[in-house]
Amino acid sequence: FHTSASKELYQIDRAIGIFVDKAMKMTTMVARDALVRRADDTLHSYVDETETKAPKDIVRSPLEAEMARFFKNINAAHPEYVEVFIGTKWGGFVSSGDNEMPPGYDPRQRPWYIAAMKTPDRASLSPAYMSTTGEAVISNMFPITAESGEIIGCTGLDVGLGVLTDLIEKSPMGETGYVLLVQDDGTILANPRHHDLNFKKMQETGVPALAELDAIGEGGMEMAMDGKEWFAQVHTIEGLGWKLVGVIEKEEVMAGFNAMLRKMAIMAVVLMAVFLALAAIFANTMARPII
């Protein structure tokens, strides 16, 4: 199990790596687009708004309208992305979505913007957080550099945890097994069997087995969970620091071994009967002339 699980987790590692790399390249492309680099203080800011407002409730400048259309086209071509957006140093915010924005929304105070400013020369990945769309997401960000060389904001591209869960669910791990995706800080990003644990830290789930797994970076272990015994194999994705945890019921793993033991026992009984019969024949053959 540990050997096969390691191979399967490595394949999932590659799939997630390709997916994340694709999203980061898309974010980089958006940030370097000539249209986006023209961002200025005409982009609508919700910072001073006192009521909830949706994009349809505001009057957009020609630049903002063109930018929103550009983002919507990207979203239409890539439905796996929740939202494509931009936040500027002036507090402006433009998105591919049409969701209502909360009063006083300031993109400069959001986790994705703060994280992006720490790496102005490359794309970065934010920790999971709750988006204004109401969905738990992970953002891919890239700062925007104007023609003058000044950093004027940052582009972002959200990937919902549901997409990652779907990706994980398609990965086979026996009949009873499944795979968990865990962020480097212990936050569960995808748990196909227990969706209610998504976006929670392993140490805070109240499940002792998950707390034990949180302390492992690589390797396997046995554990008790959901009233059953399980085997687990852990693999850390290089570069991201995320962990893939493959679990499977011990009973399923041992089923093949137990079946082999039963076959061996049957073969032993049959062979013993054959050898005893042959021994009796040989013994009688040797004893008859002596008698």
Side-chain angles (χ1 to χ4, degrees):
F1 162 72
H2 292 296
T3 301
S4 62
S6 294
K7 292 179 181 178
E8 183 59 35
L9 294 179
Y10 176 71
Q11 294 302 322
I12 300 173
D13 177 338
R14 291 187 61 189
I16 291 176
I18 292 171
F19 181 79
V20 171
D21 183 62
K22 175 186 172 184
M24 284 191 168
K25 286 179 178 176
M26 177 62 73
T27 308
T28 303
M29 183 276 292
V30 173
R32 291 175 174 172
D33 188 86
L35 172 64
V36 175
R37 297 180 71 187
R38 286 166 44 204
D40 55 26
D41 57 1
T42 64
L43 303 185
H44 187 80
S45 172
Y46 297 88
V47 175
D48 297 325
E49 299 289 356
T50 57
E51 298 179 354
T52 299
K53 280 194 175 182
K56 63 181 178 61
D57 300 325
I58 64 174
V59 178
R60 283 177 159 162
S61 66
L63 176 61
E64 182 173 344
E66 190 176 354
M67 204 174 285
R69 184 169 56 253
F70 175 49
F71 293 163
K72 286 180 181 294
N73 287 338
I74 295 174
N75 229 159
H78 298 276
E80 67 271 22
Y81 302 146
V82 175
E83 189 178 14
V84 183
F85 53 89
I86 174 180
T88 70
K89 69 172 189 174
W90 300 281
F93 182 78
V94 185
S95 168
S96 61
D98 296 314
N99 299 296
E100 292 185 336
M101 302 299 296
Y105 179 81
D106 189 344
R108 297 165 297 187
Q109 303 303 318
R110 298 295 291 171
W112 52 269
Y113 193 99
I114 295 171
M117 292 302 114
K118 295 177 182 178
T119 56
D121 58 340
R122 59 184 173 86
S124 56
L125 195 66
S126 78
Y129 67 97
M130 193 62 66
S131 170
T132 53
T133 61
E135 184 174 355
V137 300
I138 295 169
S139 290
N140 298 270
M141 307 84 62
F142 198 104
I144 305 166
T145 305
E147 293 293 340
S148 63
E150 179 189 7
I151 294 178
I152 57 174
C154 133
T155 56
L157 187 154
D158 282 350
V159 177
L161 295 189
V163 175
L164 296 176
T165 302
D166 290 342
L167 180 63
I168 294 297
E169 283 181 337
K170 294 176 183 177
S171 305
M173 190 64 67
E175 294 296 325
T176 60
Y178 57 98
V179 180
L180 293 85
L181 178 62
V182 183
Q183 197 169 251
D184 53 0
D185 64 353
T187 301
I188 299 173
L189 301 181
N191 185 332
R193 192 65 58 85
H194 299 286
H195 296 281
D196 57 308
L197 297 181
N198 286 345
F199 210 50
K200 291 184 180 179
K201 291 194 175 184
M202 298 179 82
Q203 296 284 357
E204 300 171 356
T205 58
V207 182
L210 294 180
E212 290 180 50
L213 286 170
D214 190 33
I216 298 178
E218 205 79 28
M221 63 175 283
E222 289 187 39
M223 62 186 192
M225 185 172 63
D226 296 336
K228 298 178 181 179
E229 293 296 319
W230 299 77
F231 280 129
Q233 182 69 23
V234 181
H235 170 76
T236 300
I237 301 176
E238 188 176 352
L240 291 176
W242 295 355
K243 289 195 295 190
L244 289 166
V245 182
V247 297
I248 192 171
E249 288 184 18
K250 183 176 180 179
E251 184 178 343
E252 180 181 348
V253 176
M254 301 302 291
F257 175 70
N258 292 333
M260 182 177 69
L261 285 181
R262 286 193 294 271
K263 290 178 181 178
M264 290 175 66
I266 293 172
M267 290 174 64
V269 171
V270 172
L271 289 173
M272 186 178 294
V274 170
F275 285 132
L276 287 175
L278 291 174
I281 294 172
F282 286 132
N284 288 333
T285 302
M286 294 172 63
R288 192 175 297 113
I290 296 175
I291 293 172

